[in-house]
């Protein structure tokens, strides 16, 4: 079976095949969002030969990359409903540092340093944050979090190492 990279538009459930690669043995694939507008795919064969592809602005191209770079940690970018803005966090000196910027990571602002973690968007103008993986807060997107309002407490789920945390308060 060939290795296929597909794009899916959630509006209208439109699926398209972006690239098809003939099978030459077993194929293995991984994908990583390295920045908001780009997804990098790793295709490996049963001989452990890896090829990397970047999907950017509707186009796909083969790129040079080391496996260690592919598996390096990158922020989880959370896109606003319009896809025009992005929210993410980075760990610096043991603290969460939260940012909001446009989809190209330009014009961004640091909005918090400390105990908050990104949770997601609430419409286009508000962002949800968690604290202690059990408290949910809301604040205007791009504003400092010292004005965040607590919405609710929620169940603090057990985190199992090795499992994808995804959105929803992974801190």
């Amino acid at each position: 079976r060939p290795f296929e990279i597909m794009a899916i538009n959630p509006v209208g459930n439109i699926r398209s095949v972006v690239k098809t690669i003939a099978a030459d043995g077993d194929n293995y694939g991984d994908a990583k969002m390295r920045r908001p507008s780009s997804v990098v795919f790793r295709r490996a064969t049963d001989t452990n030969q890896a090829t990397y592809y970047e999907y950017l602005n509707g186009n796909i191209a083969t790129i040079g990359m080391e496996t260690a770079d592919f598996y390096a940690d990158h922020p989880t970018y959370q896109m606003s409903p319009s896809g025009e803005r992005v929210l993410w966090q980075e760990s610096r000196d043991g603290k969460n540092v939260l940012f909001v910027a446009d989809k190209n990571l330009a014009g961004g602002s640091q909005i918090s340093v400390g105990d908050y973690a990104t949770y997601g968007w609430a419409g286009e103008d508000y962002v949800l944050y968690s604290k202690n993986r059990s408290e949910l807060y809301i604040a205007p997107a791009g504003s400092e979090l010292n004005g965040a309002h607590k919405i609710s407490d929620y169940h603090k789920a057990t985190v199992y190492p090795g499992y994808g945390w995804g959105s929803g308060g992974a801190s």
Side-chain angles (χ1 to χ4, degrees), residues 20-80:
T20 300
I21 304 160
D24 55 354
D26 291 333
N27 286 292
Y28 308 94
D30 300 70
K32 250 194 163 174
M33 188 177 203
R34 293 189 37 139
R35 57 183 187 247
S37 58
S38 163
V39 178
V40 174
F41 297 89
R42 176 183 178 271
R43 176 196 172 247
T45 63
D46 52 0
T47 61
N48 212 19
Q49 296 281 341
T51 307
Y52 297 90
Y53 304 90
E54 182 175 33
Y55 183 72
L56 177 64
N57 298 324
N59 299 306
I60 193 154
T62 304
I63 61 170
M65 177 175 279
E66 297 294 324
T67 299
D69 292 338
F70 178 80
Y71 286 111
D73 287 336
H74 296 283
T76 299
Y77 297 107
Q78 298 183 26
M79 302 302 291
S80 67

Side-chain angles (χ1 to χ4, degrees), residues 85-146:
R85 297 170 80 188
V86 63
L87 166 71
W88 77 97
Q89 75 185 41
E90 298 175 10
S91 180
R92 296 183 182 172
D93 297 326
K95 298 281 187 185
N96 290 337
V97 183
L98 283 61
F99 300 91
V100 172
D102 73 12
K103 66 182 177 184
N104 298 313
L105 299 182
S109 59
Q110 177 179 310
I111 54 176
S112 176
V113 175
D115 299 325
Y116 290 103
T118 59
Y119 194 91
W121 288 85
E124 191 66 30
D125 299 319
Y126 292 90
V127 183
L128 299 170
Y129 305 94
S130 69
K131 186 175 182 182
N132 301 323
R133 289 193 332 261
S134 65
E135 300 172 36
L136 189 62
Y137 291 81
I138 191 168
S143 69
E144 293 284 331
L145 291 188
N146 54 10

